[in-house]
Amino acid sequence: VDYQHVQVPFEITLWIMLASLAKIGFHLYNKLPSVVPESCLLVFVGLIMGGIIYGLNDKSPPVMDSDIFFLYLLPPIVLDAGYFMPSRPFFENIGTILLYAVVGTIWNVFGIGFSLYGICQVKSFQLQDVSLLHNLLFGSLIAAVDPVAVLAVFEEIHVNEKLHILVFGESLLNDAVTVVLYKLFRSFCEMPAIKTMDVLAGVGKFFVVGIGGILVGLAFGMISAFTTRFTKTIRVIEPLFVFLYSYLSYLTAEMFHLSGIVAIIACAMGMKRYVEANISLKSHTTIKYFMKMWSSVSDTLIFIFLGVSTIGENHEWNWPYIFFTVIFCLIWRALGVLVLTFFVNRFHVNTVTGKDQFIIAYGGLRGAICFSLVFLLPEFHRKKLFIAATTVVILFTVFVQGMTIRPLVDLLDVKKKRESAPTVGEQIHIRFLDHLLAGIEDISGHWGQYYWKDKLEYFNSKYLQKFLLREYDQPKSSIVLLYEKLERKHAIELAEAGQLGHAPSPPPLLHSAFPCSNSHRSVTTDGKPEDILNPDVLENIQEILARNLFRIRRTVPAYNRHTLPGETEPAEQAKEILILRHRSL
Amino acid sequence: VDYQHVQVPFEITLWIMLASLAKIGFHLYNKLPSVVPESCLLVFVGLIMGGIIYGLNDKSPPVMDSDIFFLYLLPPIVLDAGYFMPSRPFFENIGTILLYAVVGTIWNVFGIGFSLYGICQVKSFQLQDVSLLHNLLFGSLIAAVDPVAVLAVFEEIHVNEKLHILVFGESLLNDAVTVVLYKLFRSFCEMPAIKTMDVLAGVGKFFVVGIGGILVGLAFGMISAFTTRFTKTIRVIEPLFVFLYSYLSYLTAEMFHLSGIVAIIACAMGMKRYVEANISLKSHTTIKYFMKMWSSVSDTLIFIFLGVSTIGENHEWNWPYIFFTVIFCLIWRALGVLVLTFFVNRFHVNTVTGKDQFIIAYGGLRGAICFSLVFLLPEFHRKKLFIAATTVVILFTVFVQGMTIRPLVDLLDVKKKRESAPTVGEQIHIRFLDHLLAGIEDISGHWGQYYWKDKLEYFNSKYLQKFLLREYDQPKSSIVLLYEKLERKHAIELAEAGQLGHAPSPPPLLHSAFPCSNSHRSVTTDGKPEDILNPDVLENIQEILARNLFRIRRTVPAYNRHTLPGETEPAEQAKEILILRHRSL
């Protein structure tokens, strides 16, 4: 037997296999996942595994290597999060999210750091050798909400979209703050004296790390979109580029000490739209499927490793320090959310309610990022205490908060995610209001979110699309495509009901397909609205309407200063529909 | 800049990116791939890359690490080959393939080894220090035809199915022989004296390595199929199991010094049927797509690395040795094919023609496996000579043979792969003959291939399927499914032509769906046969007929001693069709 030779890939494969089998195991019993979140079960499996390894070898099981975590396990999860990020609620709440992520995290870091330093001054706790700087360093790693943990728990409780994006967006974007503060305090710990300049440089660094990450990500995203322009003859490697470029953006950002998480999210959000238009449908399925699969395996491995790494002799136990760490984490987060939301609500009509605030504060779960950071700390005599405190905080948030948050959401009657997609009517009205507001903002000279969105769309269609999309020269009218799709669906239904050619067929769906609001009416007045208005079709209709309404608004004489009336597009659309109509008669 | 930290994943990603971009580059100019095989172009890119690295660093560029090749690059390609192996021609020609793979490879090893030893005796060549054993060791690594190279070239020249499977099957299955002989001679080189026992043990080892590989592969394949029974609630990780289990089979085989290639092929061929029945359609698309993508990237990387590794100072140049190696590789392969085919043709009605023999001999391409094996040789003073000879042989076969084989195939007018799929009529007759022959063999007591095939099918449906398939209890009649599919297709065509409800609809496709030969007739007598008989549908029809005919044959009173007449299945099928008919009226 030559085990040495195959050891590395063999053990990696076995770990992934264990993770996958554990996942299958939980889902075999349908009741289990509805009571206990999967993350708790996985940590539990990890604890058992760790116990077995510890018992057999009589030495601590291997802890999760921080490099493996940051280089291999974290990127797939963040990529998945960025690629499937609902962009509308994200950009609508970007101000609030940034406030929570930046100011909130700084607040937590200093709050926890200083109050723990206060605890260290109590003589009977025997903690006087922990300096203020070490406490702040510890605060910087324990303060950040963890995207992996948040995602694992919030995916199962289905709170409303806004609440979800607030917590989840914060957990992703606070990475820039965490990176800066953690590295800053770590370098301060090693410096003999700290000058004011260093502190100021730290503040400046934050902008470099965050904005640099965004720029790196967007650059790679654009290159990726551009590359997929040329894959028409070799479809089979298309999915590869999405993974390669986003991973490269992460690694490049890490290499320059920028925020890798921010970079990969910017890359994924930037490229998605163009890549999807360029690649084939099968490549798209593969990308979606593989991304979900990969992130789900990474996620599983992280929680199992968290459990395994908990067992062992890495811990120094000090009741007061650990107890107060948990308490301060809870208190400072709650206070931070209260204060920040107070300011947010003063400037917004659509306020964050008290219940929402409670869930935001309570959903501040800590996870594997803290855990990896604490192991990356330079060696000093109280490192094991920090490891113990971090482990307890993570287990507390994952088990206690993770398991009680669902009952609490039910108890408080927090607004849930709506089960049904918004109706076509709602969708049209939302779009209409968007355009109206963009126009009002344009006239009044107010540079608000609608103004910028409109400008971005204009820039996109005028320059980016021509450069990044392969088939921009031959735009297909998606309303015509929808019509064909609905007709086809209808025909299939008829065929399945066996009525093809027997029953008098209902009139074709599209009497006067243009303008679009009519298309909606003709769908609802059709003989079998309940069949056609199922969620799938609705979603498609909305997507298509969303795209077309934009195009129409831009091409008819509008408040926009950049376009002249009388562009050709509507005429072409009408012509296409006429041709189709003609063919069908 | 912290390059050290991200170096490993960064460089891997960059290499993969280079490979993918090179692939896209070639395909941008459509004429290039039709003249020069992709493998040549990739080696060429590698040579340039290697030259650049050599020029910049003034030291040899890194050679392809044998471990990386065998553990990470080779498995995806072999998995792809095994998973998409056309099983019918493979099993029909298994005897011939094994003869070429086992006897042919041994013939080549000893032929090349002994004649090179003869060359070494010529004093003026200054090669007297190369012993017989070293020549045999060299013969064992240079003799084996390489699956990666064969696949890359034969995929582009489209020779007939039998010829393709003969060369390709040989290149896969000779791995067991190569592994045994290579390890045997290597251990002999290190032994002080060789006993007869050792030689006998070597012969015995061959069976262990080959059959052990098959058993390991089949075991993992069955476990994999069994696992996918339980993934219904968690579809997203289904594709993972195909990759994990087949990789585990490869690693396990390698660990026990068995043939990893044989193991992974047995695993893939064994699990395919059951896994595909258990998993969802989207998972299936993902598996197919990802496997193709992965193997294509691996393949690209291997050829690029081959080029890069060629540049440098690893070579000792000795004209006679290198020249005669190339010559002997060609001569012994040609002789081997001639002699073995002579025996094969004596026992087969469907003979291997002279042209086929020429292409088999000429298609004996060497590739990256030889290259990795020669670097794995223990250090001795003539290792660099072996490396040089191997490199030349590989480059000669890839460039000269690879580039001339397509013109030769055209010139000799070798029978090509038929472009169109066989008609339904042909398919039915082939199936009919299969069953007839199985019956004849059963009656006459001759244990031929049809007899075993029939027994295997019986065992499969009686035991394996029940154990490995999730939905075996509710078998769906696939003829009914086909009917539904055709109706649906028909309806879509109508809808697309705009004739839904206007034109008098042609009668439903299925007048009397049972027995199956009628289904064929009704398709061809339909109004628009050219639409329905396109390759896609035909393929489906064939697949379905193939499965159903088997079922019908087994369930009506047959020559089979295991079944009693009057089982319920045909009745059920008929009932289902009746129900469907009823619903449609």
Side-chain angles (χ1 to χ4, degrees), chain A residues 567-583:
Chain A
E567 297 207 346
T568 48
E569 222 173 58
E572 264 174 28
Q573 276 189 335
K575 208 171 75 187
E576 250 184 274
I577 289 167
L578 272 180
I579 291 169
L580 194 90
R581 238 12 236 149
H582 186 73
R583 249 180 51 208

Short mmCIF file of all heavy atoms in Angstrom, two decimals, chain A residues 567-583:
data_model
loop_
_atom_site.label_atom_id
_atom_site.label_comp_id
_atom_site.label_asym_id
_atom_site.label_seq_id
_atom_site.Cartn_x
_atom_site.Cartn_y
_atom_site.Cartn_z
N GLU A 567 -36.12 57.58 -32.85
CA GLU A 567 -35.18 56.48 -33.13
C GLU A 567 -35.93 55.30 -33.72
O GLU A 567 -37.15 55.18 -33.57
CB GLU A 567 -34.43 56.11 -31.86
CG GLU A 567 -33.58 57.26 -31.37
CD GLU A 567 -32.39 56.79 -30.58
OE1 GLU A 567 -32.35 55.61 -30.18
OE2 GLU A 567 -31.48 57.58 -30.37
N THR A 568 -35.19 54.38 -34.30
CA THR A 568 -35.85 53.39 -35.14
C THR A 568 -36.40 52.19 -34.38
O THR A 568 -37.20 51.44 -34.93
CB THR A 568 -34.86 52.85 -36.18
OG1 THR A 568 -33.66 52.51 -35.50
CG2 THR A 568 -34.60 53.87 -37.26
N GLU A 569 -35.99 52.01 -33.15
CA GLU A 569 -36.27 50.72 -32.53
C GLU A 569 -37.75 50.33 -32.44
O GLU A 569 -38.10 49.22 -32.83
CB GLU A 569 -35.63 50.66 -31.15
CG GLU A 569 -34.99 49.34 -30.89
CD GLU A 569 -34.23 49.36 -29.60
OE1 GLU A 569 -34.86 49.65 -28.59
OE2 GLU A 569 -33.02 49.13 -29.61
N PRO A 570 -38.63 51.22 -31.97
CA PRO A 570 -40.02 50.79 -31.84
C PRO A 570 -40.58 50.36 -33.19
O PRO A 570 -41.31 49.37 -33.28
CB PRO A 570 -40.74 52.04 -31.34
CG PRO A 570 -39.69 52.92 -30.80
CD PRO A 570 -38.44 52.60 -31.53
N ALA A 571 -40.19 51.06 -34.23
CA ALA A 571 -40.67 50.71 -35.55
C ALA A 571 -40.25 49.29 -35.90
O ALA A 571 -41.05 48.49 -36.39
CB ALA A 571 -40.10 51.70 -36.57
N GLU A 572 -38.99 48.97 -35.58
CA GLU A 572 -38.50 47.62 -35.87
C GLU A 572 -39.28 46.56 -35.12
O GLU A 572 -39.64 45.53 -35.66
CB GLU A 572 -37.02 47.51 -35.51
CG GLU A 572 -36.13 47.74 -36.69
CD GLU A 572 -34.69 47.77 -36.27
OE1 GLU A 572 -34.34 47.13 -35.25
OE2 GLU A 572 -33.90 48.46 -36.94
N GLN A 573 -39.51 46.87 -33.85
CA GLN A 573 -40.28 45.92 -33.04
C GLN A 573 -41.64 45.68 -33.67
O GLN A 573 -42.08 44.54 -33.82
CB GLN A 573 -40.46 46.47 -31.63
CG GLN A 573 -39.28 46.17 -30.74
CD GLN A 573 -39.58 46.52 -29.32
OE1 GLN A 573 -40.43 47.38 -29.06
NE2 GLN A 573 -38.94 45.88 -28.38
N ALA A 574 -42.29 46.76 -34.03
CA ALA A 574 -43.61 46.63 -34.61
C ALA A 574 -43.55 45.81 -35.89
O ALA A 574 -44.39 44.95 -36.13
CB ALA A 574 -44.17 48.02 -34.89
N LYS A 575 -42.48 46.04 -36.67
CA LYS A 575 -42.34 45.32 -37.92
C LYS A 575 -42.20 43.82 -37.67
O LYS A 575 -42.86 43.01 -38.31
CB LYS A 575 -41.11 45.85 -38.67
CG LYS A 575 -41.22 45.72 -40.18
CD LYS A 575 -40.08 46.45 -40.85
CE LYS A 575 -38.79 45.71 -40.73
NZ LYS A 575 -37.62 46.46 -41.23
N GLU A 576 -41.34 43.51 -36.70
CA GLU A 576 -41.14 42.09 -36.36
C GLU A 576 -42.45 41.42 -36.00
O GLU A 576 -42.75 40.31 -36.42
CB GLU A 576 -40.17 41.98 -35.19
CG GLU A 576 -38.84 41.41 -35.56
CD GLU A 576 -37.98 41.24 -34.33
OE1 GLU A 576 -37.30 42.19 -33.93
OE2 GLU A 576 -38.02 40.14 -33.76
N ILE A 577 -43.24 42.12 -35.19
CA ILE A 577 -44.51 41.54 -34.76
C ILE A 577 -45.44 41.37 -35.95
O ILE A 577 -46.12 40.35 -36.09
CB ILE A 577 -45.15 42.43 -33.68
CG1 ILE A 577 -44.34 42.29 -32.40
CG2 ILE A 577 -46.59 42.04 -33.44
CD1 ILE A 577 -44.67 43.30 -31.36
N LEU A 578 -45.40 42.34 -36.85
CA LEU A 578 -46.24 42.23 -38.04
C LEU A 578 -45.84 41.02 -38.86
O LEU A 578 -46.70 40.26 -39.32
CB LEU A 578 -46.09 43.50 -38.88
CG LEU A 578 -47.05 44.63 -38.52
CD1 LEU A 578 -46.81 45.82 -39.39
CD2 LEU A 578 -48.49 44.13 -38.63
N ILE A 579 -44.52 40.83 -39.01
CA ILE A 579 -44.04 39.68 -39.80
C ILE A 579 -44.53 38.39 -39.17
O ILE A 579 -45.05 37.49 -39.83
CB ILE A 579 -42.50 39.68 -39.87
CG1 ILE A 579 -42.05 40.86 -40.72
CG2 ILE A 579 -41.96 38.38 -40.44
CD1 ILE A 579 -40.56 41.13 -40.66
N LEU A 580 -44.41 38.33 -37.86
CA LEU A 580 -44.84 37.12 -37.17
C LEU A 580 -46.33 36.88 -37.37
O LEU A 580 -46.77 35.76 -37.62
CB LEU A 580 -44.52 37.25 -35.69
CG LEU A 580 -44.61 35.94 -34.95
CD1 LEU A 580 -43.26 35.26 -34.98
CD2 LEU A 580 -45.07 36.14 -33.55
N ARG A 581 -47.07 37.94 -37.22
CA ARG A 581 -48.51 37.88 -37.39
C ARG A 581 -48.84 37.36 -38.78
O ARG A 581 -49.68 36.49 -38.98
CB ARG A 581 -49.04 39.31 -37.28
CG ARG A 581 -50.08 39.72 -36.23
CD ARG A 581 -50.39 38.82 -35.16
NE ARG A 581 -51.83 38.58 -35.17
CZ ARG A 581 -52.38 37.48 -34.79
NH1 ARG A 581 -51.66 36.48 -34.38
NH2 ARG A 581 -53.68 37.33 -34.82
N HIS A 582 -48.14 37.93 -39.74
CA HIS A 582 -48.37 37.57 -41.13
C HIS A 582 -48.12 36.09 -41.33
O HIS A 582 -48.90 35.39 -41.97
CB HIS A 582 -47.42 38.40 -42.00
CG HIS A 582 -47.66 38.22 -43.46
ND1 HIS A 582 -48.76 38.75 -44.09
CD2 HIS A 582 -46.98 37.53 -44.42
CE1 HIS A 582 -48.74 38.42 -45.37
NE2 HIS A 582 -47.67 37.68 -45.59
N ARG A 583 -47.01 35.61 -40.77
CA ARG A 583 -46.66 34.20 -40.94
C ARG A 583 -47.73 33.30 -40.36
O ARG A 583 -47.97 32.21 -40.82
CB ARG A 583 -45.32 33.92 -40.23
CG ARG A 583 -44.18 33.60 -41.20
CD ARG A 583 -42.90 33.33 -40.47
NE ARG A 583 -43.02 32.35 -39.41
CZ ARG A 583 -42.26 32.30 -38.33
NH1 ARG A 583 -41.31 33.17 -38.15
NH2 ARG A 583 -42.44 31.37 -37.43
#
